[in-house]
Amino acid sequence: MGGSIVRLLRLDHFEPDRIVTSNIVRPKTLAILRGILCTYSLIVVVSLWATASSATTYLSFFTNLTYLGLTFYLMCTTLWSIGYLRQPSHERAQWLKNRSPWWGRIHWLLYSTVVTFHFIVPVVFWTLLSNGGIRSALGNWQNISVHALDGAFAIFELVFNRHMLEPIHSFVVAGVMVLYMLLTFVVHATEDRWVYPFLDWDQGAICAAYYIGIAIGLFVVFFVLLFLHRFRNNRLAEMCARVNHDQYLESLQHRDLPDIEKAGSQ
């Protein structure tokens, strides 16, 4: 059963060195930059928890849940990088192979959700939810952190990491969104409120349009990102080889560099 799921989701294509390396900066630089973002996001999460009226209210908002996902992703990548950098250069590839493959596979799926949702959240918030209300200085900082800087963090990952996206993972991302939608119905049934106004079915047909539009937008964003990831890795493969010249990257040998070499030989 587990093997079937792995093959269905193409998790057997997971290449662990993509987590800890970049096409344009050294692994240590990438680890430092991610560590800074991770520290910042942890501070934001703590402040949100401290000022939330209740845990259930906090966890009912998609923004908060996805920001927790972003923070967990940054924490995991930073820890992976620390472990990777502690090894001698010639032992790093083997160290990655000795890790449990499931940690990397789950990390890969988590990244698929993080990079997709954090391009969608700022757009949905600033177009549908932001009302320009007056907030405290703390509230403004929290608002910008979870509805704007999260998008900047996603752009950072898009530029600096070497991850790939698989088309089948779009259904995992959509599945997470469906689970959240089900959660909003549970919240409405138990607390008689809609987490977000545009989810309220009393609005009639416009509400259905919101649901459909967000679903379509999710797949559009995912496949645009899929193309950008592949384009980036192919274009920067030679630079990646130079930046990481002192360590063996299995992913570079198998997928990225051959495309460049073929293009150069035509």
Side-chain angles (χ1 to χ4, degrees), residues 103-228:
W103 284 106
R105 291 165 181 170
I106 294 171
H107 178 93
W108 191 15
L109 293 177
L110 174 62
Y111 174 73
S112 298
T113 64
V114 165
V115 74
T116 305
F117 290 151
H118 288 286
F119 277 99
I120 293 174
V121 165
V123 174
V124 172
F125 177 80
W126 295 107
T127 57
L128 297 179
L129 300 173
S130 178
N131 56 17
I134 299 175
R135 293 183 174 88
S136 64
L138 175 62
N140 283 327
W141 169 70
Q142 291 173 331
N143 189 44
I144 291 172
S145 294
V146 300
H147 296 122
L149 291 183
D150 65 315
F153 287 8
I155 293 173
F156 166 86
E157 283 293 324
L158 177 62
V159 171
F160 283 92
N161 74 35
R162 295 183 56 244
H163 277 301
M164 297 290 289
L165 297 180
E166 290 286 348
I168 190 65
H169 293 176
S170 63
F171 292 100
V172 175
V173 177
V176 173
M177 180 68 81
V178 169
L179 289 176
Y180 177 74
M181 290 299 183
L182 293 176
L183 174 63
T184 65
F185 282 94
V186 172
V187 171
H188 180 257
T190 57
E191 300 183 15
D192 194 29
R193 69 179 177 90
W194 289 102
V195 179
Y196 296 111
F198 65 85
L199 298 177
D200 188 350
W201 281 96
D202 290 338
Q203 299 175 94
I206 188 64
C207 181
Y210 285 139
Y211 279 80
I212 295 171
I214 290 175
I216 293 173
L218 183 148
F219 281 98
V220 169
V221 169
F222 180 90
F223 281 98
V224 168
L225 288 170
L226 183 148
F227 167 78
L228 290 175

Side-chain angles (χ1 to χ4, degrees), residues 1 7 12 18 32 36 48 62 66 75 101 113 140 145 162-163 175 179 183 185 222 230 238 243 245 256 260 265:
M1 180 66 177
R7 289 189 295 273
D12 51 335
R18 292 189 182 277
I32 292 171
I36 293 171
L48 291 170
F62 187 72
T66 56
M75 189 185 306
T113 64
N140 283 327
S145 294
R162 295 183 56 244
H163 277 301
L179 289 176
L183 174 63
F185 282 94
F222 180 90
R230 292 185 176 179
E238 291 181 338
V243 168
H245 62 87
D256 297 343
I260 294 294
S265 64

Side-chain angles (χ1 to χ4, degrees), residues 17 26-27 83-98 244-250:
D17 59 56
R26 298 281 292 165
Y84 180 76
L85 292 168
R86 290 182 63 185
Q87 313 306 313
S89 296
H90 65 279
E91 296 181 7
R92 289 174 179 175
Q94 189 59 46
W95 181 84
L96 287 172
K97 286 184 177 182
N98 291 340
N244 298 285
H245 62 87
D246 58 343
Q247 44 213 317
Y248 176 74
L249 302 184
E250 188 172 355

Side-chain angles (χ1 to χ4, degrees), residues 227-255:
F227 167 78
L228 290 175
H229 280 73
R230 292 185 176 179
F231 179 81
R232 174 204 65 196
N233 285 343
N234 287 335
R235 284 287 183 175
L236 298 178
E238 291 181 338
M239 179 182 291
C240 178
R242 291 194 300 271
V243 168
N244 298 285
H245 62 87
D246 58 343
Q247 44 213 317
Y248 176 74
L249 302 184
E250 188 172 355
S251 61
L252 194 64
Q253 306 303 318
H254 289 171
R255 299 181 69 171

